[in-house]
């Protein structure tokens, strides 16, 4: 009996150890640092859904026939696809990496795969490996490539239908079989293209079934066994799980939940953070969706994300002909103009620990704080000068305007705040940055 209890205890402890066993390697830690050193990434949702120009959920939301929908592949021939031009436009925006859909919920693979003919090389007249070509072009520009990969599949019979998608014959569901297919594709993706990260999505599809056998730890272990520096993130809208290397937030800054996806998603204090957002409304190209955010709004989002220690992954839905929508290109150029001057104030910075202020936010570099004045109209101003008040109790050494390098007068008040006087920024200045050097002691 005693032995029985001892074995029970051993099994319990073994279980605990197993659950905590993931220790990132030094290479992985370096990759995490690299990831966080770029605050801007470009997200791409591109697939045969782009042909319908109704967003990437068209099959599911319109309850289409799976076969009829898939027939679009036979006409997919994005003649204007120019991976080098795309990569150049992304690079010029100031982005450090690109995350593209290798396979979205409709199950269509945008890369060369032997696991299913439903792919861009074997299943379309285009016959080119779009993901592979883009990966090469992105890397040639010195950026990192990340792959979005859907864990759910609306078309394959072996993936058990969850909350999304269209009706399937449940007797054909076989998750273990599907899991082997995924593993084989992930091995191909890693061996063919060596991505820096995987961006998984779709686990929320079985949220109602806590026991759904996803086998994620096994999948993560498999990835890290092939390349321990490959980062893994999963858009499951929950706290970080064992084996994951970064945490993403859908359409919200970490800690906020305006879009309704992040309720209960505890912000990790150990792994890098990333927020993803659309430039307009939809992820996949949607012809009527022309409500693009302005460059000003996008810069503000980037800066606010950086102030929380997070990257911004900003999405573009390329068109069926292989071109990037004109308004998206315009926003990339605008972001690039801003980044050309200010990238140092976001890239490689960390959260400053100072809360968001009425006038804007702060980012931190070693020995330095950058104040991003996003709402200049809120600064008290008189005689052409404005006053910036900061909770930096006795820590200031010097203050400058970041863009001009001009020193700015400042004084500490007895209540422990620092007030900086600066020429009043015009109300349409996107982001006036005040650079503060901190005292070493
Ligand atoms: C959601 C959507 C999906 C999109 C993703 C991007 O999970 O279902 O279509 O790819 O968000 O964040």
């Amino acid at each position: 009996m005693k032995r029985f209890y001892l074995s029970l205890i051993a099994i319990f402890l073994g279980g605990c150890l197993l659950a905590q066993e993931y220790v990132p390697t030094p290479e992985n830690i370096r990759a995490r640092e690299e990831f966080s050193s770029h605050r801007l990434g470009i997200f791409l949702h591109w697939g045969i859904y782009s042909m319908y120009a109704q967003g990437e959920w068209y099959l599911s939301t319109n309850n289409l026939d799976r076969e009829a929908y898939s027939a679009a592949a036979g006409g997919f021939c994005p003649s204007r696809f120019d991976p080098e031009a795309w990569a150049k436009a992304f690079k010029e925006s100031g982005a450090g990496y690109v995350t593209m859909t290798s396979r979205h919920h409709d199950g269509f693979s945008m890369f060369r795969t032997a696991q299913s003919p439903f792919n861009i090389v074997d299943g379309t007249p285009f016959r080119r490996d779009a993901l592979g070509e883009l990966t090469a072009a992105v890397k040639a520009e010195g950026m990192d490539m990340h792959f979005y990969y859907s864990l759910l599949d609306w078309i394959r019979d072996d993936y058990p239908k969850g909350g999304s998608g269209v009706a399937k014959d449940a007797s054909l569901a076989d998750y273990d079989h599907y899991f082997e297919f995924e593993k084989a594709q992930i091995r191909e993706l890693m061996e063919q293209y060596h991505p820096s990260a995987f961006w998984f999505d779709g686990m929320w599809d079985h949220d109602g079934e806590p026991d759904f056998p996803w086998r994620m730890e096994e999948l993560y272990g498999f990835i890290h066994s092939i390349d321990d520096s490959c980062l893994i993130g999963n858009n499951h809208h929950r706290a970080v799980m064992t084996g994951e290397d970064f945490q993403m937030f859908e359409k919200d800054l970490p800690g906020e939940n305006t879009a309704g996806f992040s309720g209960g998603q505890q912000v990790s204090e150990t792994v890098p953070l990333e927020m993803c957002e659309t430039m307009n409304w939809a992820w996949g190209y949607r012809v009527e969706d022309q409500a693009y955010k302005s460059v000003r709004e996008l810069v503000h989002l980037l800066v606010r994300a950086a102030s929380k220690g997070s990257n911004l992954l900003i999405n573009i839905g390329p068109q069926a002909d292989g071109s990037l929508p004109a308004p998206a290109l315009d926003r990339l150029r605008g972001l690039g103009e801003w980044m050309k001057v200010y990238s140092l104030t976001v890239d490689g910075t960390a959260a400053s620990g100072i809360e968001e202020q009425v006038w804007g936010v702060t980012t931190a570099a070693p020995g330095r704080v950058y104040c991003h004045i996003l709402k200049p109209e809120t600064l008290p101003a008189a005689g052409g000068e404005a006053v910036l008040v900061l909770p930096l109790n006795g820590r200031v050494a010097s203050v400058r305007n970041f863009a001009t390098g001009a020193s700015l007068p400042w004084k500490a008040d007895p209540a422990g705040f620092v007030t900086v006087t600066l020429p009043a920024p015009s109300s349409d200045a996107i982001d006036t940055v005040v650079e503060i050097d901190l005292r070493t002691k």
Side-chain angles (χ1 to χ4, degrees), residues 43 45 56-57 104-105 148 199 201 204 235 250 276 283:
F43 208 179
H45 277 71
E56 79 288 359
W57 270 66
H104 203 264
H105 308 333
Y148 170 107
W199 204 106
D201 190 22
W204 34 258
N235 187 36
E250 182 172 341
C276 60
W283 301 100

Side-chain angles (χ1 to χ4, degrees), residues 20-37:
Q20 299 169 356
E21 156 184 285
Y22 176 57
V23 179
T25 61
E27 288 71 27
N28 186 285
I29 299 287
R30 263 198 294 283
R32 293 180 185 193
E33 287 164 3
E34 162 79 13
F35 175 82
S36 291
S37 73

Side-chain angles (χ1 to χ4, degrees), residues 193-206:
Y193 319 108
H194 310 286
S196 300
F198 276 102
W199 204 106
F200 289 114
D201 190 22
M203 258 182 87
W204 34 258
D205 199 36
H206 285 278

Side-chain angles (χ1 to χ4, degrees), residues 123-142:
T124 75
F126 193 51
R127 305 199 66 80
R128 279 167 56 188
D129 178 351
L131 188 76
E133 289 185 26
L134 185 67
T135 302
V138 161
K139 289 187 181 182
E141 288 287 351

Side-chain angles (χ1 to χ4, degrees), residues 179-230:
F179 186 75
E180 290 310 317
F181 156 78
E182 284 188 325
K183 266 175 75 177
Q185 279 211 317
I186 282 163
R187 180 187 283 287
E188 286 176 337
L189 285 167
M190 296 186 77
E191 291 178 352
Q192 289 168 191
Y193 319 108
H194 310 286
S196 300
F198 276 102
W199 204 106
F200 289 114
D201 190 22
M203 258 182 87
W204 34 258
D205 199 36
H206 285 278
D207 264 356
E209 302 155 67
D211 296 331
F212 189 83
W214 285 108
R215 298 167 65 184
M216 280 303 110
E217 274 188 49
E218 190 182 333
L219 187 66
Y220 298 167
F222 173 71
I223 291 170
H224 286 142
S225 74
I226 299 176
D227 177 0
D228 56 1
S229 71
C230 186

Side-chain angles (χ1 to χ4, degrees), residues 27-328:
E27 288 71 27
N28 186 285
I29 299 287
R30 263 198 294 283
R32 293 180 185 193
E33 287 164 3
E34 162 79 13
F35 175 82
S36 291
S37 73
H38 305 290
R39 285 298 184 217
L40 181 63
I42 304 294
F43 208 179
L44 297 172
H45 277 71
W46 197 36
I48 57 167
Y49 45 79
S50 314
M51 297 183 74
Y52 295 104
Q54 293 299 319
E56 79 288 359
W57 270 66
Y58 188 51
L59 165 62
S60 176
T61 42
N62 286 274
N63 200 24
L64 304 176
D65 177 80
R66 289 181 284 167
E67 235 171 87
Y69 169 92
S70 309
F76 191 42
C77 199
S79 57
R80 295 215 163 106
F81 176 53
D82 181 345
E84 285 80 26
W86 282 23
K88 215 168 185 328
F90 302 150
K91 178 74 180 181
E92 282 170 5
S93 75
Y97 62 98
V98 176
T99 308
M100 174 162 148
T101 45
S102 60
R103 178 170 150 274
H104 203 264
H105 308 333
D106 67 2
F108 182 76
S109 298
M110 291 293 283
F111 60 100
R112 182 184 301 280
T113 173
Q115 309 311 319
S116 153
F118 193 43
N119 73 69
I120 192 163
V121 179
D122 301 310
T124 75
F126 193 51
R127 305 199 66 80
R128 279 167 56 188
D129 178 351
L131 188 76
E133 289 185 26
L134 185 67
T135 302
V138 161
K139 289 187 181 182
E141 288 287 351
M143 293 180 287
D144 290 325
M145 192 72 193
H146 300 181
F147 293 156
Y148 170 107
Y149 189 90
S150 174
L151 297 166
L152 72 87
D153 193 302
W154 290 330
I155 291 187
R156 288 177 63 98
D157 284 325
D158 54 1
Y159 173 76
K161 183 184 170 335
S164 70
V166 293
K168 284 182 185 177
D169 180 348
S171 71
L172 301 175
D174 180 352
Y175 183 75
D176 288 340
H177 185 265
Y178 176 71
F179 186 75
E180 290 310 317
F181 156 78
E182 284 188 325
K183 266 175 75 177
Q185 279 211 317
I186 282 163
R187 180 187 283 287
E188 286 176 337
L189 285 167
M190 296 186 77
E191 291 178 352
Q192 289 168 191
Y193 319 108
H194 310 286
S196 300
F198 276 102
W199 204 106
F200 289 114
D201 190 22
M203 258 182 87
W204 34 258
D205 199 36
H206 285 278
D207 264 356
E209 302 155 67
D211 296 331
F212 189 83
W214 285 108
R215 298 167 65 184
M216 280 303 110
E217 274 188 49
E218 190 182 333
L219 187 66
Y220 298 167
F222 173 71
I223 291 170
H224 286 142
S225 74
I226 299 176
D227 177 0
D228 56 1
S229 71
C230 186
L231 302 180
I232 298 174
N234 193 330
N235 187 36
H236 42 46
H237 306 148
R238 306 182 202 162
V240 165
M241 289 164 35
T242 308
E244 294 173 358
D245 302 303
F246 67 101
Q247 185 181 32
M248 63 273 267
F249 297 83
E250 182 172 341
K251 286 186 159 283
D252 259 306
L253 289 164
E256 296 185 357
N257 184 27
T258 59
F261 299 117
S262 310
Q265 193 179 3
Q266 203 187 326
V267 181
S268 167
E269 288 179 2
T270 51
V271 300
L273 310 176
E274 182 191 67
M275 168 202 185
C276 60
E277 180 56 291
T278 49
M279 274 196 189
N280 40 358
W281 182 79
W283 301 100
Y285 181 66
R286 195 176 161 100
V287 66
E288 67 265 51
D289 179 16
Q290 296 299 329
Y292 277 77
K293 296 171 184 66
S294 65
V295 170
R296 182 192 180 87
E297 286 172 309
L298 294 172
V299 167
H300 286 196
L301 200 54
L302 169 65
V303 167
R304 292 180 67 228
S307 82
K308 295 195 178 270
S310 168
N311 295 1
L312 172 67
L313 183 63
I314 193 72
N315 183 73
I316 298 173
Q319 292 171 196
D321 67 356
S323 56
L324 300 172

